[in-house]
């Protein structure tokens, strides 16, 4: 790949400034001892203390993390099996139809998905709360996992599977010892992407959450409607830092996996 020109570098710099300037502005005023974002009066951590001293907010944070982890794990397991099933479909028309249905779920507006789940849960009598939010998050995360896993499956040569079968491997052995290890980078990418989507989802969660249960995105929206406080800044800063840590961790893991694969291949 060629190096970026000075104009390209300047364009990227402008894009990143536009994207990150509001975030850093918000983070900067999370340390303001004053109660507004109009002027910085002095440095303080009291807004962060207010976040950690708010028991209700801590419970909502735990709800968000639990839903994100459980939905990501379930969606990853189902999505991996779904992607494998799609790749091994013998009928090309059926394969393309299933892929199209999967892609439609990704590009559909969150409002439509949330309203659809609300109608469904109302019809079948599912009480809105933890279960409805978890099911919804699993459902909209599965297509994401499928999309992340499919490229790795399509890269895999059929000769690997044939060689394993010739050596006496059962279908279960081929799945657990050949296919899963080969597509592991795609599995982790799908898991982390599903985790990110679940953590910051608002539209779908807003429709399917009930009284007594909430997530951070819905809670921040409710707090903002009551009036902007610097506690929201502190909470948003913490979320951004945690998300940044997850992204860096995933990047480090991905680079380490590539280096390990490259080292193994060179031997």
């Amino acid at each position: 790949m060629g190096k970026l020109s000075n104009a390209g570098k300047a364009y990227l710099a402008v894009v990143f400034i536009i994207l990150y300037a509001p975030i850093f502005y918000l983070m900067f005023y999370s340390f303001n001892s004053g109660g507004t974002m109009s002027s910085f009066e002095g440095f303080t951590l009291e807004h962060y203390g207010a976040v950690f001293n708010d028991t209700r907010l801590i419970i909502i944070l735990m709800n968000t993390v639990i839903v994100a982890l459980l939905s990501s794990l379930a969606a990853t397991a189902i999505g991996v099996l779904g992607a494998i099933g799609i790749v091994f479909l013998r009928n090309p028309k059926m394969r393309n139809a299933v892929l199209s249905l999967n892609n439609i779920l990704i590009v559909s507006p969150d409002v439509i998905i949330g309203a659809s789940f609300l109608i469904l849960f109302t019809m079948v009598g599912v009480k809105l709360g933890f279960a409805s939010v978890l099911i919804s998050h699993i459902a909209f995360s599965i297509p994401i996992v499928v999309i992340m896993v499919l490229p790795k499956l399509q890269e895999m040569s059929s000769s690997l599977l044939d060689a394993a079968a010739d050596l006496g491997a059962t279908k279960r052995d081929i799945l657990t010892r050949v296919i899963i290890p080969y597509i592991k980078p795609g599995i982790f990418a799908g898991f982390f992407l599903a985790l990110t989507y679940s953590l910051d989802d608002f539209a779908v969660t807003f429709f399917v959450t009930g009284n007594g249960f909430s997530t951070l995105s819905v809670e921040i929206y409710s707090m903002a409607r009551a009036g902007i406080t610097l506690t929201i800044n502190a909470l948003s800063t913490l979320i951004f830092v945690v998300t940044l840590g997850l992204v860096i961790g995933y990047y480090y893991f991905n680079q380490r996996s590539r280096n390990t694969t490259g080292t193994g291949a060179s031997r």
Side-chain angles (χ1 to χ4, degrees):
M1 294 179 65
K3 293 183 178 180
L4 282 173
S5 63
N6 291 332
K9 292 178 180 178
Y11 174 77
L12 283 178
V14 171
V15 170
F16 279 112
I17 289 173
I18 293 173
L19 289 174
Y20 284 95
I23 297 176
F24 288 119
Y25 180 78
L26 178 147
M27 294 172 66
F28 175 74
Y29 275 96
S30 69
F31 300 101
N32 184 17
S33 59
T36 65
M37 295 176 64
S38 58
S39 62
F40 192 87
E41 298 180 8
F43 180 86
T44 183
L45 294 175
E46 63 177 342
H47 306 297
Y48 290 89
V51 171
F52 289 106
N53 290 330
D54 191 334
T55 305
R56 181 175 179 275
L57 203 56
I58 297 299
I59 293 174
I60 292 173
L61 174 62
M62 293 175 61
N63 291 340
T64 305
V65 173
I66 291 171
V67 168
L69 287 174
L70 291 179
S71 64
S72 300
L73 288 171
T76 301
I78 299 171
V80 168
L81 294 177
I84 293 173
I86 291 172
V87 168
F88 287 100
L89 276 175
R90 295 183 179 180
N91 189 331
K93 292 183 178 179
M94 180 65 71
R95 187 188 307 120
N96 291 333
V98 175
L99 276 173
S100 298
L101 290 173
N102 183 81
N103 294 337
I104 287 172
L105 291 174
I106 293 178
V107 300
S108 295
D110 289 344
V111 174
I112 302 299
I113 296 175
S116 300
F117 275 119
L118 176 61
I119 295 171
L120 174 64
F121 293 142
T122 303
M123 290 175 59
V124 300
V126 175
K127 185 178 179 181
L128 298 182
F130 175 78
S132 61
V133 173
L134 179 61
I135 294 170
S136 302
H137 282 223
I138 292 173
F140 71 65
S141 297
I142 290 174
I144 299 168
V145 177
V146 171
I147 288 296
M148 299 304 295
V149 173
L150 271 177
K152 295 300 295 182
L153 283 169
Q154 292 168 344
E155 288 176 9
M156 187 173 58
S157 174
S158 60
S159 60
L160 288 174
L161 307 181
D162 295 335
D166 291 340
L167 291 172
T170 63
K171 291 183 178 180
R172 181 177 180 180
D173 292 332
I174 293 174
L175 176 63
T176 58
R177 298 186 179 184
V178 180
I179 297 177
I180 298 298
Y182 189 90
I183 64 173
K184 189 182 292 183
I187 294 175
F188 278 101
F191 171 78
F192 279 108
L193 196 57
L195 184 68
T196 304
Y197 268 72
S198 178
L199 286 173
D200 69 0
D201 177 75
F202 168 74
V204 176
T205 308
F206 181 77
F207 277 94
V208 299
T209 192
N211 294 329
F213 184 87
S214 184
T215 61
L216 275 178
S217 58
V218 176
E219 182 65 16
I220 291 175
Y221 172 76
S222 300
M223 293 171 65
R225 289 188 64 187
I228 299 297
T229 66
L230 297 187
T231 304
I232 299 178
N233 291 43
L235 179 59
S236 301
T237 300
L238 291 172
I239 295 171
F240 176 78
V241 171
V242 171
T243 304
L244 182 64
L246 288 173
V247 172
I248 293 173
Y250 166 70
Y251 177 79
Y252 173 77
F253 176 84
N254 199 29
Q255 289 294 112
R256 188 175 179 181
S257 298
R258 288 181 180 179
N259 293 337
T260 302
T261 304
T263 304
S266 63
R267 290 179 180 176

